Amino acid sequence: MSGPSTFVPKSAIGRWFESRLPVMGLMHSSFVAYPVPRNLNYMWTFGAILSFMLIAQIITGVVLAMHYVGSASQAFQSINDHIMRDVNYGWLIRYMHTNGASLFFLAAYIHMMRGLYYGSYKPPRELLWIIGVVIYLLMTATAFLGYVLPWGAMSFAGATVITNLFTAIPVIGTPLAHWLWGGFAVGAPTLTRFFALHYLLPFVIAAFVGLHVWALHVTGQNNPDGVEVKNVERDTVAFTPYATIKDIFAVSVFFILYAWLIFYIPNYLLDADNYNIANPLVTPAHVVPEWYLLPFYAILRAIPNKLLGVVALVAAIVILAFVPWLDRNPVKSAKYRPAFRFFFWVFVAICIGLGYIGSQEPNDAMTMVARILTGGYFGFFLVVMPVLSFTEKTRPIPASIADAVLAKKTAEA
Amino acid sequence: MTAATTTHDPNRRDFLYIATGAVGAVGVAAVAWPFIDQMNPDASTLAMASIEVDIGAIPEGQIVTVKWRGGPVFIRHRTKKEIEEAQNVQLSELRDPQTDAQRVQKPEWLIVVGICTHLGCVPIGHEGKYEGWFCPCHGSVYDTSGRIRQGPAPLNLAVPEYKFLTDTKVKVG
């Protein structure tokens, strides 16, 4: 999509610089002249929203690290006494960071569901999609490591449950867990290393985001009609001002939600148990992860076997990487796939249902429902996608993006 | 190119390539190992491997939790009823078959590591269908011998190495 840049700096200094390091030209071809499909809807603003959330998390995180103490004896006090009460605006930055993680995931889930709905994983965007799955995995790892840092009761329980997933691996599982812990249980060495890794991973995410954007700019964006750009003049508009202004507007609206969380209900998404300091001898009565991991937690609990439960949990995420080969239907957008569209919304309902069950106490009835929904979750990928690849009667797709836009205009007129 | 040059015996140069590569690989491994091993339990952690507990003050029916190797150990002074229940279980009913006698040194004292064998939470005593332990994380149920009876955990609560020093003193580890 982006050929050699035709960008020529106006000033002599600019030209001198550009002939030695063409950074301005790269920026210009990526974010100014870059052609975007003219039929994009607001679902295509979440890439920009996610970029801003990543930046917000890194800035607030670096600031918090200036005041946080990554030691088991001081971590809890350094947040709940020091940062929340003593540090100037510490309360604000801390609430920005904790609620920012939640909104980061909210935006990521909308972004991923957008990709599923409009078939953004289909050729030629398979690698773009897989890089996205890698970013999602890194995000869950980073969020988990960060959740341990306050060293509250729920931090400790979460660290214990997640690191114990490794003990399900035959033979090397237990030595591996001891290696992760630096002891025979989650303890002081675990916290300190988790802090180091929590500081590292966001920069790894940023690097993968760079690859994600790079891959995107090679293939060009998908769009609601799922037809490729055929004529740049007719089918696209320039990134600046069209996409830039739209993205800024969407980010602003999203930040209203973010500000509302921070200023009005900063603890709504947090767990009261985490305001108790970690105690290795007591596990809180009701252990639940943060909302964005609840569906996977429900899948883990649905399987009555330890190893298979962990395998299902991992498979539930890793299966996303195989979606480009599970769904072979040449029609990308669910707009033209009535059966796929129906099952897509069933899948969304299943994810929300699993999330609800993950938040509830385990009992027999809940476990039964969790098993049915787990079957549904994997069924969407392993049955619905392959079967609809070849059997679905799709609606006719427009000849081009311009035709789709013009057809909509005439229908409205 | 003739057949002679492609099929000749290994010569000095081949040997040097392989030897250089092998030395390089050993060097990389030797440098990598300290960076991997630094994460393993350190000397101070290994040094706290055993504790002594006074059990004289634990009344019948009570469970005391002590800290051993950074985690909990349950010392349970079992009642007659609890001992009977633990002994009268058919091995065929058990997921991880062990008789009660294999799990205790003295029937009235059950000493187990207080870590659920599923994902490491600390189970709650006197709870669950068998009134042994119930794990709040994922619903595993243990009996009064600490054996797994229901839920996702695969194994019985582990029995640590321990020794009665006197009638009222026990050394764990």
Side-chain angles (χ1 to χ4, degrees):
Chain A
M1 293 291 293
S2 49
S5 176
T6 54
F7 175 71
V8 180
K10 289 190 180 70
S11 69
I13 295 173
R15 283 191 295 273
W16 181 91
F17 199 93
E18 192 67 9
S19 62
R20 285 156 182 81
L21 185 66
V23 167
M24 295 311 291
L26 179 68
M27 288 296 170
H28 186 268
S29 65
S30 303
F31 302 111
V32 179
Y34 177 70
V36 295
R38 59 193 284 186
N39 58 342
L40 296 188
N41 58 32
Y42 271 101
M43 287 294 111
W44 264 263
T45 57
F46 281 87
I49 289 170
L50 284 162
S51 305
F52 273 90
M53 287 314 299
L54 177 62
I55 294 165
Q57 288 303 89
I58 288 178
I59 292 173
T60 53
V62 167
V63 169
L64 287 173
M66 294 177 186
H67 305 283
Y68 170 79
V69 183
S71 103
S73 57
Q74 293 173 69
F76 186 83
Q77 281 80 6
S78 78
I79 290 179
N80 292 295
D81 294 344
H82 186 58
I83 292 175
M84 292 302 287
R85 292 157 201 262
D86 299 342
V87 175
N88 300 329
Y89 295 104
W91 59 272
L92 175 64
I93 295 160
R94 193 264 176 140
Y95 280 147
M96 280 178 166
H97 198 69
T98 53
N99 288 299
S102 270
L103 285 188
F104 200 162
F105 273 94
L106 177 67
Y109 284 138
I110 295 173
H111 191 68
M112 290 158 78
M113 287 297 183
R114 191 284 318 267
L116 279 177
Y117 187 87
Y118 291 112
S120 299
Y121 46 84
K122 293 187 181 183
R125 298 184 184 81
E126 305 95 316
L127 200 53
L128 173 63
W129 170 263
I130 289 170
I131 294 167
V133 175
V134 171
I135 294 171
Y136 175 66
L137 276 172
L138 288 166
M139 277 174 64
T140 52
T142 310
F144 159 68
L145 292 169
Y147 192 66
V148 176
L149 302 185
W151 210 235
M154 206 53 85
S155 298
F156 192 90
T160 299
V161 170
I162 299 297
T163 51
N164 265 289
L165 294 176
F166 291 95
T167 64
I169 304 168
V171 189
I172 61 159
T174 304
L176 188 62
H178 290 172
W179 179 74
L180 286 171
W181 295 329
F184 301 104
V186 173
T190 323
L191 175 66
T192 309
R193 64 188 55 178
F194 277 18
F195 181 38
L197 294 173
H198 183 69
Y199 204 113
L200 168 70
L201 285 189
F203 299 99
V204 179
I205 292 178
F208 274 91
V209 168
L211 293 178
H212 198 61
V213 173
W214 187 6
L216 174 73
H217 285 213
V218 170
T219 61
Q221 283 157 299
N222 187 29
N223 59 77
D225 290 293
V227 289
E228 296 298 321
V229 171
K230 297 197 171 85
N231 180 333
V232 174
E233 288 291 308
R234 289 185 74 221
D235 293 344
T236 68
V237 291
F239 191 93
T240 300
Y242 298 97
T244 319
I245 296 297
K246 192 170 172 178
D247 283 347
I248 290 173
F249 176 68
V251 169
S252 306
V253 171
F254 197 78
F255 273 26
I256 292 173
L257 175 65
Y258 187 22
W260 175 66
L261 266 177
I262 294 165
F263 292 109
Y264 288 88
I265 48 169
N267 282 298
Y268 180 68
L269 296 168
L270 306 183
D271 197 306
D273 263 323
N274 222 27
Y275 284 99
N276 290 320
I277 195 165
N279 177 355
L281 303 187
V282 181
T283 298
H286 186 199
V287 172
V288 280
E290 294 294 86
W291 69 268
Y292 40 83
L293 299 178
L294 285 172
F296 302 113
Y297 191 64
I299 289 174
L300 171 72
R301 290 199 306 200
I303 314 278
N305 175 291
K306 177 172 169 177
L307 178 60
L308 293 181
V310 175
V311 168
L313 168 75
V314 174
I317 299 175
V318 171
I319 200 166
L320 290 169
F322 294 93
V323 162
W325 293 276
L326 291 169
D327 177 6
R328 312 288 284 255
N329 196 308
V331 176
K332 290 196 183 83
S333 172
K335 213 168 148 181
Y336 303 104
R337 299 184 62 189
F340 180 81
R341 187 167 59 206
F342 169 77
F343 283 110
F344 170 83
W345 289 113
V346 171
F347 175 72
V348 172
I350 285 172
C351 291
I352 294 169
L354 281 170
Y356 171 74
I357 288 171
S359 72
Q360 300 299 304
E361 307 224 11
N363 63 42
D364 292 346
M366 280 290 174
T367 306
M368 224 33 242
V369 180
R371 281 179 195 158
I372 293 165
L373 293 183
T374 301
Y377 181 94
F378 286 105
F380 177 70
F381 294 107
L382 298 174
V383 179
V384 171
M385 279 188 168
V387 169
L388 291 188
S389 295
F390 303 105
T391 60
E392 183 169 17
K393 203 166 146 45
T394 56
R395 304 226 308 261
I397 55 170
S400 73
I401 292 171
D403 288 333
V405 173
L406 293 174
K408 202 174 157 195
K409 278 272 175 277
T410 30
E412 278 167 7
Chain B
M1 259 322 127
T2 63
T5 54
T6 52
T7 59
H8 66 71
D9 294 331
N11 59 20
R12 238 168 86 90
R13 181 141 307 208
D14 293 327
F15 173 78
L16 286 173
Y17 278 141
I18 293 165
T20 310
V23 169
V26 170
V28 168
V31 173
W33 178 246
F35 288 90
I36 295 167
D37 191 45
Q38 52 83 22
M39 278 176 68
N40 273 318
D42 62 25
S44 68
T45 306
L46 295 173
M48 297 197 300
S50 75
I51 52 162
E52 284 180 21
V53 187
D54 184 356
I55 55 171
I58 305 174
E60 207 176 277
Q62 195 176 48
I63 305 170
V64 164
T65 307
V66 295
K67 197 169 170 182
W68 176 64
R69 285 178 156 195
V73 165
F74 297 143
I75 301 178
R76 182 171 190 150
H77 195 169
R78 299 193 294 184
T79 62
K80 283 224 160 51
K81 182 168 160 277
E82 288 170 349
I83 296 170
E84 266 170 37
E85 280 171 4
Q87 289 173 341
N88 296 337
V89 176
Q90 294 296 320
L91 282 187
S92 56
E93 290 175 37
L94 298 171
R95 185 178 302 169
D96 179 13
Q98 266 187 321
T99 63
D100 188 53
Q102 287 171 311
R103 298 179 50 80
V104 292
Q105 292 178 17
K106 297 180 180 180
E108 60 273 33
W109 294 103
L110 175 72
I111 301 179
V112 288
V113 174
I115 293 175
C116 180
T117 57
H118 182 224
L119 295 174
C121 296
V122 182
I124 302 164
H126 302 293
E127 294 275 340
K129 192 176 163 194
Y130 301 91
E131 293 184 347
W133 282 273
F134 172 76
C135 182
C137 289
H138 308 96
S140 291
V141 177
Y142 298 89
D143 65 14
T144 54
S145 190
R147 290 173 298 201
I148 180 66
R149 302 298 291 270
Q150 280 180 357
L155 300 171
N156 301 334
L157 292 179
V159 178
E161 204 175 295
Y162 66 91
K163 195 162 73 187
F164 285 95
L165 300 175
T166 66
D167 276 350
T168 61
K169 200 159 218 181
V170 67
K171 183 185 173 200
V172 181

